[in-house]
Amino acid sequence: MDTPTNDAETRQERFERGLDMLTRISGEGGQRVVDALADVSPELAHQIIAWGFGEIYRRPGLAPRDRQLVTLGMLTALGGCEPQLDVHVNAALNVGLTAEEIVEALLHAAGYCGFPKALNATFVAKKVFGERGLLPVTTD
Amino acid sequence: MDTPTNDAETRQERFERGLDMLTRISGEGGQRVVDALADVSPELAHQIIAWGFGEIYRRPGLAPRDRQLVTLGMLTALGGCEPQLDVHVNAALNVGLTAEEIVEALLHAAGYCGFPKALNATFVAKKVFGERGLLPVTTD
Amino acid sequence: MDTPTNDAETRQERFERGLDMLTRISGEGGQRVVDALADVSPELAHQIIAWGFGEIYRRPGLAPRDRQLVTLGMLTALGGCEPQLDVHVNAALNVGLTAEEIVEALLHAAGYCGFPKALNATFVAKKVFGERGLLPVTTD
Amino acid sequence: MDTPTNDAETRQERFERGLDMLTRISGEGGQRVVDALADVSPELAHQIIAWGFGEIYRRPGLAPRDRQLVTLGMLTALGGCEPQLDVHVNAALNVGLTAEEIVEALLHAAGYCGFPKALNATFVAKKVFGERGLLPVTTD
Amino acid sequence: MDTPTNDAETRQERFERGLDMLTRISGEGGQRVVDALADVSPELAHQIIAWGFGEIYRRPGLAPRDRQLVTLGMLTALGGCEPQLDVHVNAALNVGLTAEEIVEALLHAAGYCGFPKALNATFVAKKVFGERGLLPVTTD
Amino acid sequence: MDTPTNDAETRQERFERGLDMLTRISGEGGQRVVDALADVSPELAHQIIAWGFGEIYRRPGLAPRDRQLVTLGMLTALGGCEPQLDVHVNAALNVGLTAEEIVEALLHAAGYCGFPKALNATFVAKKVFGERGLLPVTTD
């Protein structure tokens, strides 16, 4: 885990530290989002990396695995964020959550967000698991 | 952690197992919600306990602490769920999350849900922390 | 039920037909909302009455009772609309839904919107039922 | 309408009663959702059937037609639930709502959820009506 | 800018004034939505035009450019409204907002709605800009 | 308008530039939010100021008045953000929007978010206008 961000850093240094964090957590999925922004909103890409990953994600107060649990909950609840769920189901697997735990978290979500949003999120997880050879998932 | 729910249970037994789980996780806050439903929708109270806590929460596939991380994310993202956030910030503390981790989770939420919802959730957390003598919270 | 709105009507006539419909459905609650808008956005009040009630509500294709069922579902799902739910729980009772049916509709909502939003809506219903002497509600 | 669920039932019996209800209401659409969950979250499929349909839908306090009106309202308001709206527009037709009433309910939704969500829901309804040979719909 | 709508107009006149406004603002995109509604909910199409554009949009109190800024903010925040964002990014360009301002507005949205919804909206804008030969967008 | 943020700044410098921007735009309301966070999440306060105001708001690509129009749209659409709407209705007045334009923007919102959210936002505006001696608002 990195040290917190209370030092003097240039905009470029914040970006580089964020990019390092993004690559460790989200792998290619995160990079693809950033690339797709290059010709329309490079500043949005910069801020997702430099601020989202370079300032927030690298803070030591919450483990990467825990951050993904919170994130899966938020993206499921927001709805309409299937592309971001794809990135973050991958990220969740990358930082140590198992497919079984992810499936259980999305079942848990049904009671708070209702079945439709839990279903939408679960089908994104199924797609990611399929791409990573993790199907079938066995719970209980 | 309880065994999963694939056995034969009566409606009353499911309720009792759920009530036990609710009491362990949510303490008085959960019970107050159930009591408040008694004269308007006792069946909603029954289902929150018997299904939400008796069937979902007691499944062994996700630790109680992890369930609260997902739940804090969902309630923050949904918006307008301050009464439920109050119950679940308490629950999060009861199952082992620290005030520092909860605050960090809600800071993390800003990037996914925006500052307004992160603020609303953080002020609920502040109220709960105050009631439990946990202020000030020191992060970093 | 009124005839549809395909005739030539002045803005004032649409308003008057809407006000008649509003009074029949929402009673004092609707009027209070309109009054509260008088010094800040009289046009919003006009459009709620002239368009919402004068054009949409008075169409014969869906019974008033059915409109309130759809409306209760929407307001519960949207979240943060407790003042409007108060008006529409009253409206639902005014057009023939029973307290038992309203409670059942909000229990049904738990599966689609999750427990937190179902709870928020149920507590609004409890307040309205209390004001109208309809507590306790007995279901099943 | 079934008797309420206050008896002793095994997990399997609840599932079977729910499956019977699901088949009557949602037909093939509901079954397809359940099948798609088999290799990723069979427990989510189980709970949708055993709890959603076996416990909630079969309660006698609200007619199936009324449940679909509430559900159409909720799914329209939630947004991003087009796959579930597809299932429930079919369900609404299966339990006795006409295409005209569904269209009117979604027009009614415009005043509460705004035109964008009303449009999204109406285009799902159009797709379902087309598949069932119900176009054009004639209102007024 | 048209005069306000406090005169006597027939339903058909309101529709015609709205259609004129719709065509000026949304061009073909708005018309395509209306056409697609013809066989399922012509009344929804009528009301979007006659009320949305004929009554609200033509009011002189807020400039068309300002209305699109508010609208871009709402559609981004609502989520799941990508088809409507497509129409309104086009409309925003039609009434004088530049691609750079639109991109900046959606970057600004990240702080209020979070990155996922800002991303979804930005990718819709990218698609529209591509169709109109406005890529790459250069900010700062 | 400040120059963009592509230089090397310390964390403290970003905060100070943000605080200057916050004070100009939001006045006391913004400061009160920051103060209330001091004992629970000072980092959230820091990031709202240093990032939200110090990096995003100070970018020259969108005028402060335009940012508030987008923001009013977002906060109205999100729902449950009445405390933030209070701050931003004040901010909107501070950067040159008139009460009449704000009221018109919230009337415009009815077509995209529905009447309930437009009402909630309008009543927040009424409260702020009352505090600043701007009632009654006269439109048309």
Side-chain angles (χ1 to χ4, degrees):
Chain A
M1 190 58 53
D2 292 83
T3 54
T5 66
N6 50 10
D7 44 6
E9 291 182 306
T10 64
R11 178 175 154 94
Q12 180 61 25
E13 286 166 346
R14 290 197 301 277
F15 178 80
E16 283 164 15
R17 294 189 69 158
L19 193 58
D20 179 58
M21 180 61 80
L22 174 72
T23 307
R24 273 191 278 161
I25 291 175
S26 299
E28 293 176 22
Q31 186 58 49
R32 266 197 301 271
V33 172
V34 166
D35 292 346
L37 289 169
D39 62 350
V40 64
S41 187
E43 184 67 15
L44 180 56
H46 176 88
Q47 293 297 349
I48 290 173
I49 292 174
W51 188 72
F53 287 90
E55 296 225 24
I56 303 300
Y57 261 90
R58 90 185 205 215
R59 288 171 55 82
L62 195 68
R65 179 185 170 283
D66 292 347
R67 289 186 187 274
Q68 291 311 313
L69 286 167
V70 179
T71 305
L72 291 176
M74 290 187 288
L75 293 174
T76 300
L78 287 173
C81 295
E82 283 75 12
Q84 290 79 31
L85 261 172
D86 187 306
V87 171
H88 284 283
V89 171
N90 272 295
L93 293 167
N94 294 345
V95 296
L97 285 161
T98 65
E100 288 73 18
E101 287 172 316
I102 293 167
V103 162
E104 191 70 32
L106 301 181
L107 171 62
H108 180 83
Y112 292 91
C113 310
F115 286 122
K117 288 183 174 175
L119 280 167
N120 287 344
T122 300
F123 286 127
V124 173
K126 178 180 175 173
K127 174 179 163 292
V128 173
F129 297 159
E131 291 164 356
R132 295 173 72 138
L134 298 174
L135 292 178
V137 177
T138 312
T139 53
D140 261 354
Chain B
M1 187 60 54
D2 294 81
T3 55
T5 65
N6 50 11
D7 45 5
E9 291 181 304
T10 64
R11 178 175 153 95
Q12 180 62 23
E13 287 166 346
R14 289 198 300 279
F15 177 81
E16 282 164 15
R17 294 190 69 158
L19 192 58
D20 178 59
M21 179 62 80
L22 174 72
T23 306
R24 271 191 280 160
I25 292 176
S26 300
E28 293 176 21
Q31 186 59 47
R32 267 196 299 272
V33 172
V34 166
D35 292 346
L37 289 170
D39 62 350
V40 63
S41 187
E43 183 67 16
L44 180 55
H46 176 88
Q47 293 297 348
I48 289 173
I49 292 174
W51 187 75
F53 286 89
E55 297 224 24
I56 303 301
Y57 261 88
R58 89 185 207 216
R59 289 172 54 82
L62 196 67
R65 180 184 170 282
D66 292 347
R67 289 187 187 274
Q68 291 311 312
L69 285 166
V70 180
T71 304
L72 291 176
M74 290 187 288
L75 293 174
T76 301
L78 287 173
C81 295
E82 284 75 13
Q84 290 78 33
L85 261 172
D86 186 306
V87 171
H88 285 283
V89 170
N90 273 295
L93 292 166
N94 294 345
V95 297
L97 284 161
T98 65
E100 289 73 16
E101 286 173 316
I102 293 167
V103 163
E104 192 69 33
L106 300 181
L107 172 62
H108 180 82
Y112 291 91
C113 310
F115 285 121
K117 288 182 174 176
L119 281 167
N120 286 343
T122 300
F123 286 127
V124 173
K126 178 180 176 175
K127 174 180 164 292
V128 173
F129 297 159
E131 292 164 356
R132 294 173 71 137
L134 299 174
L135 292 179
V137 177
T138 313
T139 53
D140 259 355
Chain C
M1 190 58 55
D2 293 83
T3 55
T5 65
N6 50 10
D7 45 4
E9 290 181 304
T10 64
R11 177 174 154 96
Q12 180 61 25
E13 288 166 346
R14 289 197 300 277
F15 177 82
E16 283 165 14
R17 295 190 68 161
L19 192 57
D20 179 58
M21 179 62 79
L22 174 72
T23 307
R24 272 191 278 159
I25 291 176
S26 300
E28 293 176 23
Q31 187 59 46
R32 266 197 300 272
V33 172
V34 166
D35 293 346
L37 289 169
D39 61 351
V40 62
S41 188
E43 183 68 15
L44 179 55
H46 176 88
Q47 293 297 348
I48 290 173
I49 292 174
W51 187 73
F53 287 89
E55 296 225 25
I56 303 299
Y57 261 89
R58 89 185 208 216
R59 290 172 54 82
L62 195 68
R65 180 185 171 282
D66 292 347
R67 290 186 186 274
Q68 291 311 312
L69 285 167
V70 179
T71 304
L72 291 177
M74 290 188 286
L75 292 174
T76 301
L78 287 173
C81 295
E82 283 75 14
Q84 290 79 31
L85 261 172
D86 186 306
V87 171
H88 285 284
V89 170
N90 272 295
L93 292 167
N94 294 344
V95 297
L97 284 162
T98 64
E100 289 73 18
E101 286 173 316
I102 293 167
V103 163
E104 191 69 33
L106 300 181
L107 171 63
H108 180 82
Y112 292 91
C113 309
F115 286 121
K117 287 182 173 175
L119 280 167
N120 286 344
T122 300
F123 286 126
V124 173
K126 178 180 175 174
K127 172 179 164 291
V128 173
F129 296 160
E131 291 163 356
R132 296 172 71 139
L134 298 174
L135 291 180
V137 177
T138 313
T139 53
D140 257 356
Chain D
M1 190 58 54
D2 294 81
T3 55
T5 64
N6 49 10
D7 45 5
E9 291 181 306
T10 63
R11 178 175 152 97
Q12 180 61 24
E13 286 166 348
R14 291 198 300 278
F15 178 81
E16 281 164 16
R17 294 188 69 158
L19 192 59
D20 180 58
M21 180 60 80
L22 174 72
T23 307
R24 273 191 279 159
I25 291 175
S26 299
E28 293 176 22
Q31 186 59 48
R32 266 197 300 272
V33 172
V34 166
D35 292 346
L37 289 170
D39 61 351
V40 64
S41 187
E43 183 68 15
L44 180 56
H46 176 86
Q47 293 296 349
I48 290 173
I49 292 174
W51 187 74
F53 287 89
E55 295 225 26
I56 303 299
Y57 261 89
R58 90 184 206 215
R59 289 171 55 84
L62 195 68
R65 179 186 172 282
D66 292 348
R67 289 186 186 274
Q68 291 310 312
L69 286 167
V70 179
T71 304
L72 290 176
M74 290 187 288
L75 292 174
T76 300
L78 286 173
C81 296
E82 284 74 13
Q84 289 79 31
L85 260 172
D86 187 306
V87 171
H88 285 282
V89 171
N90 271 295
L93 293 166
N94 294 345
V95 297
L97 284 161
T98 65
E100 289 73 17
E101 287 172 315
I102 293 167
V103 162
E104 192 70 32
L106 300 181
L107 172 63
H108 180 83
Y112 292 90
C113 310
F115 286 123
K117 287 182 174 175
L119 280 167
N120 286 344
T122 300
F123 286 127
V124 172
K126 178 179 175 173
K127 173 180 164 290
V128 173
F129 297 159
E131 291 164 356
R132 295 173 70 139
L134 298 174
L135 292 178
V137 177
T138 313
T139 53
D140 261 353
Chain E
M1 190 58 53
D2 292 81
T3 55
T5 65
N6 51 9
D7 45 5
E9 290 181 305
T10 64
R11 177 175 153 96
Q12 180 61 25
E13 287 166 348
R14 289 197 302 277
F15 178 81
E16 283 165 13
R17 294 189 69 160
L19 193 58
D20 180 58
M21 179 62 80
L22 173 72
T23 307
R24 272 192 277 160
I25 291 175
S26 299
E28 292 176 23
Q31 186 58 49
R32 266 196 300 271
V33 172
V34 166
D35 292 346
L37 289 170
D39 61 351
V40 62
S41 187
E43 183 68 15
L44 179 56
H46 176 88
Q47 293 297 348
I48 289 172
I49 292 174
W51 187 73
F53 287 89
E55 296 225 24
I56 303 300
Y57 261 90
R58 91 186 207 215
R59 288 171 55 82
L62 196 68
R65 179 185 171 284
D66 291 348
R67 290 187 186 274
Q68 292 311 312
L69 285 168
V70 180
T71 305
L72 291 176
M74 290 187 287
L75 292 174
T76 300
L78 287 172
C81 295
E82 284 75 13
Q84 289 79 32
L85 261 172
D86 187 306
V87 171
H88 285 283
V89 171
N90 272 294
L93 292 166
N94 294 345
V95 297
L97 284 162
T98 64
E100 288 73 17
E101 287 173 315
I102 293 168
V103 162
E104 192 69 32
L106 301 181
L107 172 62
H108 180 83
Y112 292 91
C113 309
F115 286 122
K117 287 182 173 175
L119 280 167
N120 286 344
T122 300
F123 286 126
V124 173
K126 178 179 176 173
K127 173 179 165 291
V128 173
F129 297 160
E131 291 164 356
R132 295 172 72 138
L134 298 174
L135 291 180
V137 177
T138 313
T139 53
D140 261 352
Chain F
M1 188 56 58
D2 292 80
T3 55
T5 65
N6 50 10
D7 45 5
E9 291 181 304
T10 63
R11 177 175 153 96
Q12 180 61 23
E13 286 166 347
R14 290 197 301 277
F15 177 81
E16 282 165 15
R17 294 189 70 160
L19 192 58
D20 179 59
M21 180 61 80
L22 174 72
T23 307
R24 272 192 278 160
I25 292 175
S26 300
E28 293 174 22
Q31 186 59 48
R32 266 196 301 271
V33 172
V34 166
D35 292 346
L37 289 169
D39 61 350
V40 62
S41 187
E43 184 68 16
L44 180 56
H46 176 88
Q47 293 297 347
I48 289 173
I49 291 174
W51 187 73
F53 287 89
E55 295 224 23
I56 304 300
Y57 261 89
R58 89 187 206 212
R59 288 172 55 83
L62 196 67
R65 179 185 171 281
D66 291 348
R67 288 186 188 273
Q68 291 310 312
L69 285 167
V70 180
T71 304
L72 291 176
M74 290 188 287
L75 292 174
T76 301
L78 287 173
C81 295
E82 284 74 13
Q84 290 78 31
L85 261 172
D86 186 305
V87 171
H88 285 282
V89 171
N90 272 296
L93 293 166
N94 294 344
V95 297
L97 285 162
T98 64
E100 289 72 17
E101 287 172 315
I102 293 167
V103 162
E104 192 69 32
L106 300 182
L107 171 63
H108 180 83
Y112 292 90
C113 310
F115 287 121
K117 287 182 174 176
L119 281 167
N120 286 344
T122 299
F123 286 126
V124 173
K126 178 179 175 173
K127 173 179 164 291
V128 173
F129 297 161
E131 291 164 354
R132 295 173 71 140
L134 298 174
L135 291 179
V137 177
T138 314
T139 53
D140 259 354

